[in-house]
Amino acid sequence: KLNQQLSEFLEAADAERDTTGAGGSDGGSSSVPSSPMGTPRGIIAPHAGYSYSGPAAAYAYLALQDALSASYTTDATENENDNDNDNTSPPTQTQIRTIVVLHPSHHVHLDGCEISSAAAIETPLGNIPVDDRLRRTLLSTGEFGSMPRSVDEEEHSGEMQYPYIAKLLSDRLESSPAIQILPIMVGSTSTHRETHFGTLLAPILARSEIFTVISSDFCHWGSRFGFHPQGVFADKEIFKYIEGMDRLGMDRIQMQQPGAFAEYLKETNNTICGRHPIGVWLNAVKSNKDANNETLNIKFVHYAQSSRVKSRRDSSVSYASAIATQVSD
C-alpha cells in the first residue's frame, strides 16, 4: 500500500512538473516549471505524514529519481566497457554511492550534529545500509557525536524521508550498484556553529558520489505551535500572509547566502523546523562555491499548506520542495 501511495505521488508530480500554477489559488499549493537543467545534487523535502506532505515531497524526490537513473545508465555503460577488466573505475559525475540526510531534532536538545549509529535503516519498502566508512571519517574529526538508537528511532524528520529513498532505490534494476545512506541530525546550533559544520561537510557533499537530502517543513502556524503573531496581516488573509512569509524564506535559500537566511529567521521568527539543517547545508554550498569545488543552482519547485488559515483558531503546516542542480562550468 505504501509503495503504491508513493508511486501515485511521484506520477502526479511528474505529470505536473512541466506546468505552472498547479492549483495555487484554490488548493493552497503551487508548482513552478520543471527543475533547472543540470545534474541533481540535492533536495529539500518536507517530513509530515504522507497524507499531508507526501504529494509535495514527490516534487523533490523526482530529482533523486532522475539522478539515480542517470547513475545507473553511467554504471551500466562503464561495466560494458570494462569487459573482463577487474579494475574498478572511479565514480563519474552522476554515480551516486551515498545519500546523506540532514534532518533536525524535534525531541532532544542538541548543540551540534550527531550521526546515526545504525548498521542499516529499516523501512517498510526495504532496508538501506548505512555508510560506515563515511561515518567513521566524520566521527574521526571529533566534531560529530553518535546518535543513540532511541533518539534515532523517535525522530520522524529522518524517518519520513527513508521510505521515499528506499522506494526509489528498490525501483532500480537488480544489477544496479548498492547505494548507502548516512543520516545526520542537526541540533539547535548557532549561526557560527552552522558555518563550522557546513565547512566541515562541504568537501564531502561536493563529492560526485554523494547526494544530499535536507529534511524540513516550513511555517507551523497556530496556537498548538505557539506561533500566531498579531497585527501583521494588514489586508491579507492569514494563509496568504503565511505563504508570503514562507516564500521570502525560500527566496533567501535560493540566494545561497546563509547570512541572509539567518537574518530572515530573526526578523520573522518563522517556525521552519529544519532551519538548522538548511543553515548547515547553505554554508556547505557557499564554501564549495567559494573554493571552486562545486556551484549549485537551488530552485523551489513546489509549495503547499496543510490547510488555509482564515482565523486565529486555525492551524497549518507549510511544505516546500526544492531541487539543487550542478551548474556547468
Side-chain angles (χ1 to χ4, degrees), residues 65-125:
Q65 184 179 64
D66 292 344
L68 290 171
S69 177
S71 178
Y72 170 72
T73 300
T74 304
D75 283 331
T77 301
E78 289 188 350
N79 288 338
E80 290 177 0
N81 293 338
D82 284 344
N83 294 323
D84 295 330
N85 190 344
D86 291 333
N87 295 326
T88 302
S89 58
T92 67
Q93 183 180 11
T94 55
Q95 289 179 293
I96 298 174
R97 302 301 189 194
T98 300
I99 299 172
V100 173
V101 179
L102 301 177
H103 65 81
S105 172
H106 286 84
H107 304 293
V108 298
H109 175 72
L110 177 64
D111 181 21
C113 296
E114 290 187 345
I115 304 172
S116 174
S117 57
I121 299 298
E122 298 180 357
T123 86
L125 303 182

Side-chain angles (χ1 to χ4, degrees), residues 213-224:
V213 173
I214 300 90
S215 180
S216 182
D217 293 332
F218 273 65
C219 182
H220 297 64
W221 180 277
S223 57
R224 67 192 182 102

Side-chain angles (χ1 to χ4, degrees), residues 2 33 65 97 176 183 222 238 245 271 294 301-302 308 317:
L2 176 60
Q65 184 179 64
R97 302 301 189 194
S176 303
I238 299 177
M245 179 176 58
T271 48
E294 181 180 57
V301 295
H302 191 77
R308 297 172 62 179
V317 179

Side-chain angles (χ1 to χ4, degrees), residues 103 108-110 113-118 145-155 185:
H103 65 81
V108 298
H109 175 72
L110 177 64
C113 296
E114 290 187 345
I115 304 172
S116 174
S117 57
S146 184
M147 196 189 316
R149 177 173 178 173
S150 60
V151 172
D152 202 353
E153 292 178 343
E154 290 176 5
E155 182 50 59
M185 177 185 286

